[in-house]
Amino acid sequence: GSLAAMTEHAIAIKLAEEDPFRPDNGALSPEEARQGAERLAAALTFGHAFTLLATGDQADPALAAGALDPRKVLVEWRDDQRQALVRRGIFAPSTYGRLRFHHRSAQEYLAATWLKRLLEAGCSLSRVWELIFAERYGVETVVPSLRAVGAWLALWVPEIRDETIRREPLALLVHGDPRSLPIPSREALLLAYAVK
């Protein structure tokens, strides 16, 4: 299958991994686990952070500086729900009482699906546009830290795809899943890349 399909499948498997010896396995539905993972991925991505504080651990504040607290992102969740989520296979231990996504591409993909979910819920495209695109020193570009997120989002949002092709076609060749783009978009992408 496509890279997008394989990434989606891998994330579903990792989110379904439960520790059979933990009593809180039933604390989260699969949909809640997915939405929580998307929110944490978006918070890390847009907050320019790489790690989460492990729930229940008392990390040394100096060593855990810069780590995001899941309680501040999933504020309406119960502690057992947050703990059940961060124990899933999609998260890997880091150091000093911290966690991270098991792979950076999973975080980027989930941040993109979070944006997609927002758009489907009625968020205006212009708000998402302002996050993904910028003008620096008179040059229209894709925000460098969001190139991968924008490339994944381009699979589902034609306006994002077309603007990325216009501004920075290489981003779609390097990130996301260029093979899954529609054929006319792939042709435009190669043409734009050849011109730049």
Side-chain angles (χ1 to χ4, degrees):
S2 67
L3 180 58
M6 288 188 288
T7 303
E8 183 65 43
H9 179 72
I11 287 170
I13 295 293
K14 294 280 188 190
L15 281 173
E17 287 180 352
E18 297 174 347
D19 182 343
F21 302 106
R22 300 299 297 207
D24 60 3
N25 282 335
L28 282 180
S29 70
E31 182 62 24
E32 288 171 324
R34 174 59 182 251
Q35 289 182 10
E38 287 179 357
R39 286 172 58 187
L40 290 175
L44 287 170
T45 300
F46 292 106
H48 302 286
F50 298 102
T51 56
L52 297 163
L53 287 175
T55 57
D57 284 352
Q58 298 300 321
D60 182 333
L63 298 174
L68 190 68
D69 188 344
R71 291 176 297 187
K72 293 183 179 179
V73 178
L74 304 171
V75 292
E76 74 284 5
W77 284 33
R78 299 183 316 268
D79 283 338
D80 64 324
Q81 290 176 305
R82 284 189 292 267
Q83 290 170 356
L85 176 61
V86 299
R87 276 198 296 273
R88 301 288 165 100
I90 199 158
F91 296 100
S94 189
T95 54
Y96 307 115
R98 297 177 298 169
L99 302 165
R100 58 180 170 74
F101 276 89
H102 78 287
H103 198 278
R104 179 70 183 234
S105 64
Q107 178 184 324
E108 294 161 346
Y109 181 87
L110 285 167
T113 59
W114 178 77
L115 288 173
K116 178 181 176 239
R117 189 186 297 268
L118 287 181
L119 289 168
E120 290 168 349
C123 177
S124 73
L125 180 60
S126 63
R127 296 295 300 253
V128 173
W129 191 282
E130 292 169 0
L131 293 172
I132 303 291
F133 301 113
E135 185 175 325
R136 302 281 192 258
Y137 308 108
V139 176
E140 292 181 320
T141 188
V142 178
V143 173
S145 62
L146 297 176
R147 285 183 181 134
V149 173
W152 283 116
L153 190 60
L155 292 178
W156 310 299
V157 184
E159 297 87 352
I160 299 290
R161 178 174 54 239
D162 294 343
E163 189 64 14
T164 304
I165 289 170
R166 189 181 76 74
R167 289 179 185 227
E168 229 174 292
L170 184 60
L172 292 179
L173 292 172
V174 173
H175 303 288
D177 183 8
R179 178 178 160 224
S180 293
L181 295 171
I183 289 174
S185 294
R186 283 190 260 173
E187 291 171 349
L189 174 61
L190 292 175
L191 254 166
Y193 182 66
V195 169
K196 287 203 179 220

